[in-house]
Amino acid sequence: MDKQGVIQFLKSRVGLFKDFDVGRIEELAQGSRITTFEAGEAAIAFGEEVRFLGVLLDGEAEASITDDAGDRHVLARLGPSEVFGEMELMTGNKSVADIIGVTRCTALFIPIGLFYTHIATNLASIGCLSRIIME
């Protein structure tokens, strides 16, 4: 997906950005990185410092934890238009779960600086992120 496709995707499919004007979304897209991660590969690992907000553009991923016995427990399944890393960015804590690809995934990684200047300063976005975290 090219940057224009990402801009359209964010505006039309990601609730977090529904109140953003196109100019602000363009700034986010231009300053962010599109990346892929494979099935079984972690985009975020437990205990890692998270430096971006992830937006899944394509594929499926799981948020999971591994218990002391080594068993993995799925907390949530993520699909296109869902975000990850929001809890860590909002709290400043390290990752409490792994985000692992179930299929090959394409994601937009919005760096922490853009998150704080463009998303965390928007009241509607804060409300949306709060709902996501509560769920």
Side-chain angles (χ1 to χ4, degrees):
M1 184 179 301
D2 64 8
K3 291 288 183 174
Q4 277 305 100
V6 169
I7 292 165
Q8 283 294 352
F9 183 90
L10 295 177
K11 184 67 177 163
S12 65
R13 297 201 44 203
V14 182
L16 182 62
F17 302 110
K18 72 177 182 176
D19 294 326
F20 280 40
D21 64 46
V22 173
R24 183 171 265 192
I25 292 174
E26 286 174 350
E27 286 180 43
L28 284 170
Q30 291 302 322
S32 299
R33 177 171 56 101
I34 298 172
T35 191
T36 59
F37 54 102
E38 301 298 326
E41 183 180 356
I44 297 175
F46 173 82
E48 185 175 88
E49 185 176 337
V50 178
R51 310 282 305 150
F52 60 86
L53 175 71
V55 180
L56 202 57
L57 302 173
D58 187 46
E60 290 185 24
E62 289 178 340
S64 63
I65 58 171
T66 303
D67 64 21
D68 293 338
D71 296 323
R72 197 168 79 112
H73 302 277
V74 175
L75 304 173
R77 195 157 178 115
L78 306 172
S81 78
E82 295 188 271
V83 299
F84 55 93
E86 73 285 345
M87 187 180 314
E88 293 80 4
L89 292 178
M90 295 294 288
T91 64
N93 294 332
K94 293 186 179 190
S95 179
V96 297
D98 297 309
I99 304 296
I100 299 174
V102 174
T103 64
R104 184 171 202 263
C105 296
T106 304
L108 181 71
F109 285 2
I110 300 170
I112 193 170
L114 285 177
F115 174 82
Y116 286 130
T117 59
H118 285 67
I119 299 169
T121 58
N122 181 288
L123 290 177
S125 294
I126 295 299
C128 183
L129 289 171
S130 297
R131 284 188 297 280
I132 292 168
I133 291 169
M134 286 178 24
E135 291 172 0

